[in-house]
Amino acid sequence: MPGNDEAVPRQAVPRQAVTPHVVTPQVETGQTEARSGEGSTVVLSRGVVILFAVACAASVANVYFSQPLLVTMGRDLAMSPALVGSVVTFTHIGYGLGLFFLVPLGDVADRRRLIVAQLLLLVAALTVVAIAPTAAVLLVGVAATGLLAVVTQTLVAFAASLAPAAGRGRVVGLVTSGVVIGILLARTASGLLADLAGWRSVYVASASLTAVLALILYRVLPRHGAAAPTALRYGQLLRSTISLFAREPQLRVRALFGLLVFAAFSTLWSSVALPLSEAPYFLSHTAIGALGLVGVAGALAATVAGRLNDRGHSRRTTGIALALLAASWLPLAFTRSSLWALAAGVILLDLAVQAVHVTNQTLIYTLHPAAGSRLIGGYMIFYSIGSATGAIAATTLYTAAGWGAVCALGATFSCLGLVLWALTRKSATSDR
């Protein structure tokens, strides 16, 4: 690493500095020098890590704000039910495209400038949604919002690159907690704001917060020079994301873990409002949205997973978390008769999902730190596939067979994760 070579005696260079970087050129291509040393040259204070987490929460929440607002949006803009449903679809399509086309740029561009630029563009997209006079403008705005909300993953990759190797799991755990909290609280916040000042106020508030965060991050994030020259053009950069999956077995396994745990996560959160809005509860949208506050407790508790990863217990952490995920569906099955059982299940499920997610991101980043953005972006595509699969399957099953079938589906996704863990754990080279 250039940042360290100057301080290392000449005879130590071949063993200490050069050997670790003998990696496939298509993956690294000179970026190792620009990125891999960042964790050792920059001291991340707890305040900066929390700032990363807050920025992640605020960014990813934009993907989920619309879900409680669909009826109001449709009424305001005279949209048909089918067209109203496409608001969520367009948002997630934009997010999926951003994961593949925008997140990899973090490996060849100055991440600080890239983050600030994406946040400012996100402010513009949110403003378009807030002032949308027609359904067509609204759909363009939410698609752009989803596309630019992937700045969340650039933030995660940047935080991981700045963290020292010995504390990377802890940092990724804290930052990723912000992502999960943003997802869980987005519906609650948007419902409350919409009740107070209308659905457009949600996007005005988010645009204002995003603009403030862009200014703060511009001033606080470490300042780096331009990225080191790279042989990868944009098309090659995108193709290398695919080639990473072809070459890295651990990336493929961890991506499958991500798909399964987020399918289970989405199975619960996309359908739990249905039984709660019916007998015997008849809860309001605001009360249902408050359930996200319960989930936050589990997400925060799972930050311990990052510390366990730093101690070399990644494989064991994954197994325990997947077992807890499978077990969470037992109390969740009693949702219709006990809100306490629902709360216990939610805490267990969110804790388990977060623990696996933190472990996944910590491990895949270490495969090729110079390709961190591509690794995390590619992994998150599987997260999106899992989330979409769980949502579609859960809502369809609930209509056809009720809440018990939904719980059976979630338990199936969870148990498949356990089976995958059991099949792959013997091939691990360490306690991964």
Side-chain angles (χ1 to χ4, degrees), residues 196-213:
L196 291 173
W199 71 267
R200 295 178 188 273
S201 69
V202 175
Y203 293 94
V204 171
S206 183
S208 301
L209 175 60
T210 303
V212 171
L213 284 170

Side-chain angles (χ1 to χ4, degrees), residues 22-403:
V22 180
V23 183
T24 306
Q26 211 173 2
V27 176
E28 302 277 278
T29 59
Q31 278 298 103
T32 301
E33 295 183 350
R35 296 292 182 201
S36 63
E38 288 174 5
S40 60
T41 58
V42 176
V43 178
L44 274 182
S45 68
R46 187 174 181 83
V48 173
V49 175
I50 291 174
L51 177 61
F52 269 108
V54 170
C56 283
S59 300
V60 78
N62 291 298
V63 179
Y64 300 90
F65 278 147
S66 65
Q67 293 181 3
L69 310 176
L70 295 178
V71 174
T72 307
M73 285 178 168
R75 189 183 303 120
D76 187 28
L77 297 176
M79 300 168 68
S80 67
L83 194 57
V84 169
S86 66
V87 170
V88 175
T89 303
F90 272 62
T91 306
H92 282 279
I93 288 174
Y95 194 78
L97 291 173
L99 288 172
F100 186 75
F101 290 104
L102 293 185
V103 174
L105 291 173
D107 291 333
V108 294
D110 185 302
R111 283 182 178 142
R112 171 176 164 271
R113 293 182 180 178
L114 183 63
I115 287 167
V116 172
Q118 288 186 350
L119 287 174
L120 293 176
L121 289 172
L122 181 56
V123 171
L126 290 166
T127 303
V128 169
V129 175
I131 65 174
T134 65
V137 175
L138 176 69
L139 292 177
V140 170
V142 296
T145 296
L147 180 76
L148 294 162
V150 297
V151 67
T152 303
Q153 306 312 320
T154 306
L155 284 160
V156 173
F158 196 17
S161 73
L162 294 173
R168 183 168 291 135
R170 178 185 62 84
V171 171
V172 172
L174 286 171
V175 174
T176 306
S177 291
V179 177
V180 177
I181 290 170
I183 293 172
L184 291 173
L185 295 187
R187 301 171 184 87
T188 305
S190 64
L192 288 174
L193 276 174
D195 287 342
L196 291 173
W199 71 267
R200 295 178 188 273
S201 69
V202 175
Y203 293 94
V204 171
S206 183
S208 301
L209 175 60
T210 303
V212 171
L213 284 170
L215 176 61
I216 295 173
L217 290 169
Y218 178 77
R219 296 177 64 87
V220 171
L221 291 184
R223 297 171 181 268
H224 296 285
T230 174
L232 289 181
R233 297 180 180 179
Y234 184 63
Q236 295 172 318
L237 185 72
L238 299 183
R239 288 194 295 272
S240 72
T241 301
I242 299 172
S243 68
L244 284 167
F245 277 91
R247 284 196 299 268
E248 295 293 345
Q250 184 166 214
L251 176 57
R252 296 194 296 271
V253 170
R254 288 289 157 178
L256 287 176
F257 279 138
L259 186 153
L260 290 169
V261 299
F262 278 102
F265 180 88
S266 185
T267 294
L268 172 67
W269 287 105
S270 64
S271 61
V272 70
L274 300 174
L276 294 180
S277 62
E278 300 171 351
Y281 301 118
F282 298 108
L283 297 181
S284 66
H285 290 296
T286 300
I288 293 171
L291 185 63
L293 297 173
V294 178
V296 169
L300 289 175
T303 56
V304 71
R307 299 182 185 276
L308 291 173
N309 285 310
D310 291 336
R311 296 172 185 172
H313 301 307
S314 302
R315 179 173 58 82
R316 191 173 306 163
T317 300
T318 302
I320 293 172
L322 289 169
L324 290 176
L325 182 61
S328 70
W329 292 100
L330 180 59
L332 287 171
F334 293 92
T335 292
R336 287 193 177 279
S337 58
S338 172
L339 288 178
W340 289 108
L342 172 62
V346 165
I347 291 173
L348 275 178
L349 182 138
D350 286 350
L351 186 156
V353 169
Q354 170 74 340
V356 176
H357 189 42
V358 169
T359 302
N360 287 346
Q361 293 196 101
T362 303
L363 289 180
I364 65 174
Y365 181 84
T366 60
L367 294 174
H368 296 292
S373 291
R374 278 167 284 169
L375 289 166
I376 290 177
Y379 162 77
M380 289 299 295
I381 290 174
F382 282 76
Y383 148 91
S384 296
I385 294 171
S387 295
T389 301
I392 293 170
T395 52
T396 302
L397 263 183
Y398 186 84
T399 302
W403 181 247

